[in-house]
Amino acid sequence: MAPNASSSTAAPAAATQSTRRDPNQRVLQEVALRYFLEVARAGSVTEAAARLEVAPSAVSRQIGRLERELDTLLFERRARGMTLNSAGELLAAHARRAWLDIERVTDDILALRGLRQGEVRIVATEGFAYEFLPAVVADFQARCPGIRFQLDMAVQREVARRVREGLVDLGVTVSLSSESGLQVAFRHPSPVMAVVAPDHPLADRRQVSLAQLLAWPLALPAGTSTLRQLLDISSSRQGLVLQPVITSDHLYPLIQYVTHTQAVTFCGELALRQQLHNRAVVAIPLRDREMNERHFEVQTMAGRHLPDAARAFIDHLRKVLE
């Protein structure tokens, strides 16, 4: 009888352990994770509920459920919202990759069936989103017509955030330094150039310096842009003072302005490729060291395995640029 008694007491214990594990595994695949990620992005239950189009109480219940199942708090509750704690950051990283892996596998299965379907989600800074990328996407779709694209425009720091959080597949931007949570799938030199009208006295120069350009009206990007920050760093190092006659937080108003004046603005060649081809403007290389250390980058989430369509588009971009 002793062995049977031992067996009868062991079985419930094993069942109890299994019961304790199973909810944890199940909950990581349910709607709770979706609500959790939305609160992490929004920074508040109320805002997350509005985006999800559900009641705030429903979101709160799901967050509470996750925290009970995992036996730990996931957020720091503050008067003006919620931020992820260290445990929440770990779960968020897992959840983002889990959803992205599901999407990738779906695309791979469709490819095996020969449907040639898929979607590539891109966020890019204005210089690339406005003119360069639409042309590259159109050329890619001429070869792979079943691939759909979503192309959004954002400032550089927002590009990095969306890629890091898995909201897009690719971030296309220029970068001056490495960022955590991102990996660079492709990098290409993107030096800053002086941009003038075709009839500008400097238009036939092979090269100019920032110091030489101070004699002309300057049309500069806003101080928050990485391009303006690079210009300020270079001018400060040389003891130069940049005094713009016009500033804008968008590139193309500045380009249009110089076509009507003797002013000078600054941009990379890729953002102007079509306008340079049409001779609407002229781009002049700069001698200044900092102006030649900038790179075009295609960024992806660190550690993520991209869908076939996104990888194919990166290869296409590489061929276009190289």
Side-chain angles (χ1 to χ4, degrees), residues 23 26-27 30-32 60-70:
R26 289 198 304 271
V27 77
E30 297 177 356
V31 70
S60 294
R61 281 197 302 272
Q62 293 294 346
I63 298 301
R65 179 187 176 195
L66 265 179
E67 292 181 327
R68 287 193 304 275
E69 293 289 350
L70 297 172

Side-chain angles (χ1 to χ4, degrees), residues 81-93:
M82 300 166 66
T83 58
L84 291 172
N85 60 20
S86 56
E89 292 285 0
L90 285 173
L91 180 59

Side-chain angles (χ1 to χ4, degrees), residues 3 37-38 52 56 92-93 95 119 164 167 205 212 222 249 251 253 256 264 270 286 296 313:
L37 284 176
E38 200 59 59
L52 293 164
E119 182 179 28
R164 190 181 295 112
L167 301 177
R205 296 286 187 92
Q212 291 174 310
D249 58 0
L251 169 65
Q256 289 300 312
V264 180
L270 290 181
L286 291 164
F296 166 92
F313 183 69

Side-chain angles (χ1 to χ4, degrees), residues 7-302:
S7 175
S8 64
T9 56
T16 301
Q17 289 174 356
S18 176
T19 301
R20 286 175 181 165
R21 284 196 302 268
D22 290 347
N24 287 358
Q25 295 166 355
R26 289 198 304 271
V27 77
L28 294 179
Q29 302 173 36
E30 297 177 356
V31 70
L33 271 186
R34 181 179 168 215
Y35 286 16
F36 162 75
L37 284 176
E38 200 59 59
V39 174
R41 293 185 189 116
S44 80
V45 168
T46 303
E47 178 62 26
R51 295 180 185 181
L52 293 164
E53 298 182 345
V54 299
S57 59
V59 176
S60 294
R61 281 197 302 272
Q62 293 294 346
I63 298 301
R65 179 187 176 195
L66 265 179
E67 292 181 327
R68 287 193 304 275
E69 293 289 350
L70 297 172
D71 195 24
T72 185
L73 294 177
L74 300 171
F75 291 93
E76 293 180 10
R77 271 76 169 175
R78 299 176 179 174
R80 295 190 176 182
M82 300 166 66
T83 58
L84 291 172
N85 60 20
S86 56
E89 292 285 0
L90 285 173
L91 180 59
H94 162 82
R96 288 163 186 153
R97 285 185 173 84
W99 292 124
L100 294 171
D101 283 345
I102 291 170
E103 291 178 358
R104 177 184 60 80
V105 170
T106 302
D107 284 346
D108 289 348
I109 290 172
L110 289 173
L112 286 174
R113 292 168 57 190
L115 297 180
R116 294 184 174 275
Q117 294 181 2
E119 182 179 28
V120 182
R121 298 168 299 179
I122 305 173
V123 62
T125 48
E126 181 189 11
F128 303 122
Y130 187 80
E131 195 170 87
F132 172 69
L133 279 174
V136 177
V137 167
D139 185 51
F140 180 82
Q141 287 178 318
R143 306 177 188 189
C144 305
I147 306 301
R148 305 180 309 279
F149 281 79
Q150 174 187 318
L151 176 58
D152 295 331
M153 186 186 303
V155 297
Q156 195 272 340
R157 65 180 178 275
E158 178 68 7
V159 169
R161 183 190 71 81
R162 293 194 197 180
V163 173
R164 190 181 295 112
E165 295 185 2
L167 301 177
V168 296
D169 302 306
L170 309 176
V172 179
T173 183
V174 290
S175 182
L176 307 178
S177 60
S178 60
E179 297 215 32
S180 62
L182 302 177
Q183 66 185 37
V184 178
F186 175 60
R187 176 182 282 129
H188 187 79
S190 182
V192 179
M193 308 182 85
V195 182
V196 297
D199 60 352
H200 195 284
L202 298 177
D204 60 352
R205 296 286 187 92
R206 296 184 61 184
Q207 200 176 48
V208 292
S209 67
L210 278 178
Q212 291 174 310
L213 297 176
L214 295 185
W216 302 94
L218 299 178
L220 299 182
T224 54
S225 74
T226 54
L227 175 53
R228 178 61 181 274
Q229 291 165 14
L230 192 60
L231 287 165
D232 288 343
I233 289 169
S234 186
S235 59
S236 176
R237 182 182 64 82
Q238 300 178 65
L240 306 175
V241 178
L242 303 181
Q243 295 182 325
V245 296
I246 183 173
T247 62
S248 176
D249 58 0
H250 289 284
L251 169 65
Y252 286 94
L254 300 177
I255 300 298
Q256 289 300 312
Y257 180 80
V258 301
T259 64
H260 297 286
T261 66
Q262 295 286 282
V264 180
T265 192
F266 301 89
C267 189
E269 181 268 338
L270 290 181
L272 298 172
R273 184 163 286 189
Q274 189 60 46
Q275 296 187 59
L276 292 171
H277 177 75
N278 295 337
R279 290 287 296 175
V281 292
V282 174
I284 312 165
L286 291 164
R287 294 195 191 100
D288 310 81
R289 185 188 68 207
E290 291 87 354
M291 299 297 101
N292 293 281
E293 294 179 348
R294 197 178 71 151
H295 285 80
F296 166 92
E297 287 188 354
V298 178
Q299 300 173 343
T300 65
M301 177 194 285

